[in-house]
Amino acid sequence: MTKNSDGGALERRSYGLSEVKIDESTDGEMMFSGYGAVFGNIDSHGDVIAKGAFADTLKKAKSSGIWPAMLSQHGWSDGGDTPVGIYTEMREDDTGLWIEGKLAPTERGKEIYELLKMSPRPALNGLSIGFRAKDWSVRRVPEDPIRTLKAVELLEVSLVTFPSNTRARVTGVKSEFNPQEVEDRLRDAGLSRGDSVKAVAVLKSVLLRDEAEPEDNLRDEEDAAIKSVAELKRLAERIKALATH
């Protein structure tokens, strides 16, 4: 059985991804990415979202310029319904609804960004969607999900602490690594311009290695990591020697 709705109640579904990666960023913007929803996975409410469910929302957002909001905890936190940033990209792939967003340089935005970056694990990395169901089919046999959502109106995607479905979380966080700033500080510490440039290049290679594709040659990657660490150690010893003079 299939049902349609022109103005259903606001619903929320939470998802979560497995890890947060720190990516290189030279512009200082507080960026993150991940999956706001995962297709074909039964959530805690017994629903499944089908591929294509967000197609109409995404088409309208990109044509009108009015995108789903970025909230914190669905607006239940101190900031209410005040957005904490904007989404710069949303698209469906075989996994689910992939999103990329930029946090606002406000106190709340900076706080969320620091929580996303925490080590050895992020303090916050859940994602949750707020939507209205537009088209769905209902369960026919006990093994089926209660509903299969075929089309939804996506209103917002929130960063949340407790996602009800552990498969959709933030997967990427861009750091504030600024090569020029690092180079300047190394030169202030006494390194020559050549050594400073070399040190920054090594640091960039270490950061970029986290973004290597799964099919990369792991042996080559391991050798490159060993060389990078050795290079950093030599530069660190040089900085220490200069600082003692």
Side-chain angles (χ1 to χ4, degrees):
M1 181 185 298
T2 298
K3 294 186 178 182
N4 294 277
S5 172
D6 292 329
L10 175 64
E11 301 183 51
R12 296 182 174 92
R13 294 292 185 273
S14 301
Y15 303 86
L17 306 183
S18 58
E19 62 181 332
V20 172
K21 297 178 182 177
I22 303 299
D23 303 327
E24 180 191 15
S25 174
T26 59
D27 51 19
E29 293 186 331
M30 299 182 290
M31 304 288 294
F32 68 91
S33 59
Y35 283 92
V38 175
F39 298 140
N41 188 54
I42 299 178
D43 62 29
S44 62
H45 299 268
D47 290 343
V48 162
I49 298 180
K51 185 176 181 179
F54 301 100
D56 191 49
T57 290
L58 299 182
K59 182 180 178 180
K60 288 180 178 177
K62 292 179 180 181
S63 63
S64 68
I66 303 173
W67 287 48
M70 181 194 297
L71 300 180
S72 172
Q73 313 291 355
H74 292 300
W76 297 331
S77 56
D78 294 338
D81 289 332
T82 302
V84 294
I86 60 171
Y87 288 106
T88 56
E89 180 59 53
M90 287 187 174
R91 63 175 180 266
E92 288 192 0
D93 60 20
D94 290 337
T95 299
L97 176 68
W98 186 87
I99 62 174
E100 181 181 70
K102 175 167 60 176
L103 289 160
T106 60
E107 289 304 313
R108 186 68 177 130
K110 293 175 183 177
E111 177 187 0
I112 292 171
Y113 186 58
E114 291 304 317
L115 293 173
L116 287 169
K117 292 199 303 175
M118 287 191 72
S119 177
R121 69 194 62 84
L124 174 71
N125 71 337
L127 289 171
S128 183
I129 59 174
F131 66 94
R132 289 191 176 95
K134 307 296 287 184
D135 184 18
W136 67 91
S137 60
V138 297
R139 179 162 57 191
R140 294 179 178 274
V141 296
E143 293 77 19
D144 288 345
I146 294 174
R147 291 187 306 176
T148 297
L149 298 168
K150 299 178 179 180
V152 302
E153 178 188 3
L154 183 64
L155 302 176
E156 54 97 359
V157 183
S158 285
L159 288 148
V160 296
T161 306
F162 300 110
S164 61
N165 185 316
T166 58
R167 290 190 60 199
R169 290 183 187 267
V170 175
T171 53
V173 179
K174 288 189 178 180
S175 71
E176 295 176 340
F177 175 71
N178 187 317
Q180 188 59 55
E181 182 180 348
V182 174
E183 182 183 327
D184 291 342
R185 290 186 179 183
L186 289 173
R187 293 187 70 181
D188 290 342
L191 259 69
S192 67
R193 183 178 183 281
D195 282 345
S196 298
V197 171
K198 193 173 184 180
V200 169
V202 172
L203 288 170
K204 286 175 69 175
S205 71
V206 172
L207 290 171
L208 290 172
R209 188 173 303 114
D210 290 338
E211 295 301 302
E213 295 296 330
E215 62 268 23
D216 282 352
N217 187 302
L218 296 180
R219 184 64 191 174
D220 291 345
E221 184 177 336
E222 182 178 316
D223 291 342
I226 293 171
K227 291 177 182 177
S228 294
V229 170
E231 189 69 23
L232 284 172
K233 285 182 177 179
R234 285 195 293 271
L235 288 168
E237 290 171 358
R238 180 166 172 75
I239 291 172
K240 184 177 180 180
L242 288 167
T244 57
H245 287 128

